[in-house]
């Protein structure tokens, strides 16, 4: 709490657990009479007492050990007066110059022997912590999965073919050329095209679920990380460990969504292609969640995530379309290229329209021309779309790492 709100907290505590003791930046030990026997960085306390002849046993809690020293229960037995004298001498000597009157960056490793563990070892430790945390939060994980499932069911029913069929190819050239002048543009369009709406709504649901559900990954442990960072832990190790621990959730979310959506809506396209595109959606939506949880306080994180996803819908190309956006707002149309929903929706559109092209090769040119002219989509961009979505997700994760 003190880190998140940037206030100084002073507390009186007696023989805390090791986890609580390690969370303190500085500590003061008092002997009977209220005299100081140590006042300095928590991480240097063990080093100081070792320097005056008290070596911490491997299986002993440091606060308990320090209290036993002050009580005279540890050999060599010391009186309060002698401990106070040791401390006064230490303040005036090398210990004071190294630990009390220097900047944290200039302080040596404790006893000159201790150093941070290798980055990959730290990453493994943070991965284990992430797994343990998620085991304790199974209810919230199940709730996230449930929301994704409900979203799939809702959209599946909304876009099932009981009310309409999603797509019909444009009319042949000989037909639309017979239309009166200004109507030719409408005649060249697909006679029925619900694919932009389907791709927009699916993308929005996945973006909202993925970003909001990912807020907990870093938002709940920022304070613990700041404590570890003060002791030399690696930001890269922390970030990698947490991300890898969250990967199973990202892999499951699009699958759970499709289990409900795909058999009900029966959209065009292969199930594997749908899963691959939605997996990229979730990867980047989760990246947004990471960045928002780091930049915003917990109470504002959910609102910020929703606003970020809805704001991007304005430039995603569903409505207004990309050609309209470029012609009416050319000064800001470039923003659509930085919106992962724009590339993801194009990928979903291509996946859904491909079965119609395969079923009627003669309509291929008409369909591709209408995609370019009306939607601003390139029918050959599926691989590029997926690549850009992932690339934007990676960029967001780098920004998260920088700001953590």
């Amino acid at each position: 709490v003190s880190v998140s709100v940037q206030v100084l907290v002073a507390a009186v505590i007696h023989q805390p657990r090791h986890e609580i003791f390690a969370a303190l930046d500085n500590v003061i030990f008092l002997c009977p009479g209220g005299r100081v026997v140590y006042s300095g960085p928590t991480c240097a306390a063990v080093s100081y007492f070792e320097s005056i002849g008290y070596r911490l046993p491997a299986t002993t809690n440091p606060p308990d050990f320090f209290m036993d020293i002050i009580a005279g229960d540890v050999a060599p037995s010391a009186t309060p007066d002698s401990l106070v004298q040791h401390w006064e001498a230490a303040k005036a000597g090398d210990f004071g110059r190294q630990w009390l009157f220097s900047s944290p960056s200039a302080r040596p490793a404790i006893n000159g022997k201790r150093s941070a563990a290798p980055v990959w070892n730290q990453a493994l430790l943070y991965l284990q912590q992430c797994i343990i945390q998620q085991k304790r939060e199974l209810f919230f994980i199940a709730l996230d999965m449930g929301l994704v499932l409900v979203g799939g069911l809702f959209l599946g029913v909304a876009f099932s073919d009981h009310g309409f069929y999603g797509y019909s190819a444009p009319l042949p050239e000989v037909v639309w050329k017979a239309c009166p002048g200004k109507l030719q543009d409408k005649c060249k369009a697909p006679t029925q095209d619900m694919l932009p709406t389907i791709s927009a709504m699916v993308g929005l649901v996945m973006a909202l679920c993925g970003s909001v559900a990912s807020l907990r990954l870093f938002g709940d442990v920022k304070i613990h990380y700041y404590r570890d960072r003060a002791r030399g832990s690696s930001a890269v190790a922390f970030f990698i460990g947490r991300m890898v621990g969250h990967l199973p959730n990202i892999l499951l979310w699009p699958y759970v969504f499709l289990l409900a959506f795909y058999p009900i809506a029966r959209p065009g396209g292969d199930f594997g292609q749908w899963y691959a595109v939605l997996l990229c959606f979730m990867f980047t939506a989760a990246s947004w969640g990471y960045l928002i949880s780091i930049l915003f306080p917990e109470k504002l994180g959910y609102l910020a995530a929703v606003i970020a996803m809805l704001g991007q819908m304005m430039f995603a190309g569903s409505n207004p379309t990309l050609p309209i956006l470029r012609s009416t707002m050319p000064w800001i149309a470039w923003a659509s290229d930085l919106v992962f929903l724009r590339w993801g929706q194009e990928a979903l559109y291509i996946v859904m329209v491909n079965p119609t092209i395969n079923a009627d090769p003669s309509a291929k040119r008409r369909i591709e021309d209408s995609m370019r002219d009306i939607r601003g989509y390139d029918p050959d961009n599926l691989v590029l779309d997926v690549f850009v979505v992932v690339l934007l997700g990676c960029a967001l994760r780098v920004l998260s790492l920088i700001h953590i």
Side-chain angles (χ1 to χ4, degrees):
V1 175
S2 65
V3 174
S4 62
V5 299
Q6 297 183 347
V7 297
L8 179 65
V9 175
V12 177
I13 192 168
H14 183 71
Q15 290 178 263
R17 296 199 315 269
H18 177 69
E19 294 86 349
I20 296 176
F21 181 73
L24 305 175
D25 295 316
N26 295 281
V27 65
I28 300 174
F29 296 135
L30 303 177
C31 67
R35 291 177 295 172
V36 176
V37 299
Y38 178 82
S39 177
T42 305
C43 59
V46 173
S47 176
Y48 166 71
F49 282 102
E50 287 181 350
S51 71
I52 61 174
Y54 299 97
R55 182 167 293 277
L56 175 67
T59 58
T60 301
N61 181 27
D64 293 336
F65 181 65
F66 301 145
M67 294 300 101
D68 290 342
I69 294 173
I70 295 171
D73 296 335
V74 177
S77 180
T79 64
D81 289 338
S82 64
L83 290 175
V84 172
Q85 291 172 4
H86 278 304
W87 176 242
E88 293 298 328
K91 286 197 298 182
D94 292 340
F95 184 88
R97 287 191 296 271
Q98 292 176 345
W99 289 102
L100 306 182
F101 309 114
S102 63
S103 64
S105 61
R107 293 172 181 172
I110 299 175
N111 279 350
K113 301 176 183 178
R114 302 185 183 186
S115 59
V119 171
W120 290 112
N121 288 359
Q122 294 183 45
L124 180 60
L125 176 61
Y126 283 121
L127 171 60
Q128 293 171 343
Q129 291 177 350
C130 182
I131 293 173
I132 292 172
Q133 180 188 11
Q134 294 200 72
K135 287 181 179 178
R136 294 172 179 171
E137 297 179 347
L138 289 178
F139 170 78
F140 294 103
I141 294 175
L143 182 62
D144 294 336
M145 295 294 177
L147 291 175
V148 173
L149 183 65
V150 169
L153 285 170
F154 176 79
L155 292 183
V157 172
F159 296 122
S160 65
D161 60 0
H162 295 293
F164 53 79
Y165 186 72
Y167 186 84
S168 298
L171 297 171
E173 182 176 356
V174 65
V175 176
W176 65 256
K177 279 191 173 181
C179 295
K182 291 186 178 181
L183 290 179
Q184 284 193 359
D185 288 339
K186 292 186 177 295
C187 294
K188 289 167 63 176
T191 55
Q192 190 172 28
D193 188 5
M194 293 302 301
L195 303 190
T197 305
I198 296 174
S199 60
M201 294 306 299
V202 169
L204 180 60
V205 167
M206 300 298 282
L208 288 172
C209 290
S211 60
V212 170
S214 300
L215 293 173
R216 292 193 305 273
L217 186 68
F218 292 102
D220 289 350
V221 297
K222 282 191 292 188
I223 294 176
H224 304 290
Y225 165 68
Y226 295 145
R227 176 200 67 196
D228 293 344
R229 185 177 64 182
R231 295 184 294 173
S233 293
S234 166
V236 174
F238 172 73
F239 199 73
I240 291 176
R242 300 292 296 180
M243 282 198 307
V244 174
H246 195 234
L247 187 59
N249 298 30
I250 296 176
L251 292 172
L252 277 174
W253 284 332
Y255 185 75
V256 170
F257 177 86
L258 287 174
L259 284 180
F261 173 78
Y262 194 82
I264 299 175
R266 287 180 284 180
D270 178 71
F271 184 92
Q273 290 183 328
W274 268 89
Y275 176 79
V277 174
L278 295 189
L279 179 60
C280 296
F281 259 106
M282 276 301 185
F283 174 83
T284 305
S287 303
W288 270 103
Y290 300 162
L291 182 61
I292 290 170
S293 68
I294 292 169
L295 295 179
F296 291 87
E298 182 179 357
K299 292 182 179 179
L300 295 178
Y302 293 96
L303 178 61
V306 172
I307 291 175
M309 298 304 106
L310 292 178
Q312 291 183 73
M313 283 296 295
M314 297 173 58
F315 304 97
S318 54
N319 190 17
T321 63
L322 294 177
I324 293 175
L325 190 64
R326 290 164 184 158
S327 62
T328 57
M329 294 185 290
W331 62 91
I332 201 172
W334 57 267
S336 64
D337 292 336
L338 301 178
V339 173
F340 80 99
L341 288 170
R342 171 261 186 271
W343 300 96
Q345 288 181 20
E346 180 177 357
L348 286 179
Y349 192 101
I350 295 172
V351 168
M352 287 187 285
V353 82
N354 276 339
T356 303
I357 295 176
N358 295 334
D360 185 7
S362 63
K364 179 179 179 180
R365 182 178 176 182
R366 301 199 305 273
I367 294 173
E368 292 181 346
D369 288 343
S370 70
M371 289 174 61
R372 293 188 180 96
D373 297 339
I374 299 173
R375 309 304 317 176
Y377 293 160
D378 188 330
D380 300 321
N381 267 6
L382 180 58
V383 175
L384 176 64
D385 293 335
V386 171
F387 173 77
V388 173
V389 171
V390 174
L391 182 63
L392 291 172
C394 292
L396 290 168
R397 292 177 186 233
V398 171
L399 287 175
S400 303
L401 177 59
I402 292 172
H403 286 91
I404 200 167

